Amino acid sequence: AQKITQTQPGMFVQEKEAVTLDCTYDTSDPSYGLFWYKQPSSGEMIFLIYQGSYDQQNATEGRYSLNFQKARKSANLVISASQLGDSAMYFCAMREGQGDYKLSFGAGTTVTVRA
Amino acid sequence: DSGVTQTPKHLITATGQRVTLRCSPRSGDLSVYWYQQSLDQGLQFLIQYYNGEERAKGNILERFSAQQFPDLHSELNLSSLELGDSALYFCASSVRTGSRNEQFFGPGTRLTVL
């Protein structure tokens, strides 16, 4: 079974607008971590934001925020005030357990920001 | 710059050949992970090493092997290469503290098998 599902293969957003990228996950482990990574066309993977399963508040990092709905098993990424440099592929990933374990990635969502 | 280095950046080789990809983790990170990114399979975990010992194995083919050396750098060896092995290979590292344990990725090695 797919552990991470990203249903939006591609999205267009106008500069300065907000965009929400969907991510749902599947795990029976009560302890897990959810991550979002950005992959620009140059190829590198850039860590954006983290949400732990026991965190009470939604994570925020600058213009990135994570809408964590535990009961629905969703961890959507919100990018506010989009910039041209936000055009990239975005991956949702999950680590099951508390330790330094592997990440399971979704298929990714391509975001294109229009001027 | 994540602090994780990978060499080479690009590698072009022929079917049947063997190649070695090298990774140096961030200073202080004991865990090294290898991932493969291909168009058809997406991002797949291959293998993890922790302080020189193999910790976890994912969808790694028997033709592939890896090791982590005492100085914590790691190498991924790919042998009897096939066209389908063409992919972007990432190394990532993390330090085992707290609950966050985010993984920092290197720039990747793009392997093309002709």
Side-chain angles (χ1 to χ4, degrees):
Chain A
Q2 203 72 295
K3 287 186 182 289
I4 295 285
T5 302
Q6 294 180 255
T7 56
Q8 306 152 309
M11 297 183 73
F12 290 94
V13 59
Q14 208 62 32
E15 200 177 7
K16 297 179 187 167
E17 289 185 353
V19 61
T20 298
L21 308 184
D22 295 341
C23 172
T24 57
Y25 59 92
D26 183 29
T27 181
S28 57
D29 195 324
S31 178
Y32 53 89
L34 297 158
F35 301 80
W36 278 90
Y37 284 84
K38 172 184 178 182
Q39 187 177 37
S41 57
S42 50
E44 73 267 32
M45 295 285 286
I46 303 166
F47 165 74
L48 296 178
I49 196 167
Y50 165 82
Q51 180 83 43
S53 59
Y54 297 118
D55 293 345
Q56 294 297 311
Q57 294 192 328
N58 287 340
T60 59
E61 295 274 359
R63 294 187 299 111
Y64 303 108
S65 60
L66 204 151
N67 184 1
F68 181 46
Q69 297 186 48
K70 197 169 181 176
R72 297 180 61 186
K73 292 190 173 179
S74 77
N76 298 339
L77 176 71
V78 180
I79 306 174
S80 62
S82 296
Q83 302 171 356
L84 295 177
D86 293 334
S87 293
M89 185 83 136
Y90 289 81
F91 290 96
C92 180
M94 177 173 65
R95 182 206 64 233
E96 293 172 280
Q98 280 277 8
D100 51 341
Y101 303 120
K102 65 169 186 173
L103 295 177
S104 300
F105 284 86
T109 296
T110 301
V111 171
T112 304
V113 181
R114 289 171 164 158
Chain B
D1 187 345
S2 67
V4 179
T5 60
Q6 288 187 250
T7 56
K9 196 166 175 60
H10 300 278
L11 201 46
I12 301 174
T13 188
T15 55
Q17 295 298 305
R18 174 189 168 93
V19 297
T20 298
L21 282 51
R22 185 189 166 103
C23 166
S24 291
R26 293 187 321 155
S27 177
D29 285 359
L30 299 179
S31 276
V32 167
Y33 312 76
W34 287 97
Y35 293 88
Q36 178 195 58
Q37 185 179 29
S38 61
L39 283 174
D40 52 345
Q41 300 282 342
L43 263 160
Q44 300 259 328
F45 166 72
L46 295 178
I47 197 163
Q48 177 197 0
Y49 278 82
Y50 177 81
N51 202 19
E53 301 286 326
E54 183 184 300
R55 179 98 189 272
K57 244 179 178 176
N59 299 324
I60 188 165
L61 299 170
E62 283 193 14
R63 301 183 285 108
F64 296 1
S65 65
Q67 53 185 325
Q68 187 179 28
F69 295 86
D71 67 352
L72 300 179
H73 91 271
S74 178
E75 291 180 357
L76 179 67
N77 300 295
L78 316 176
S79 61
S80 302
L81 285 167
E82 302 175 359
L83 295 177
D85 298 327
S86 295
L88 186 53
Y89 291 85
F90 285 109
C91 166
S93 73
S94 72
V95 59
R96 193 179 186 182
T97 57
S99 61
R100 187 154 147 157
N101 294 119
E102 68 258 42
Q103 293 179 21
F104 294 90
F105 282 72
T109 293
R110 186 168 295 281
L111 173 67
T112 304
V113 182
L114 301 175

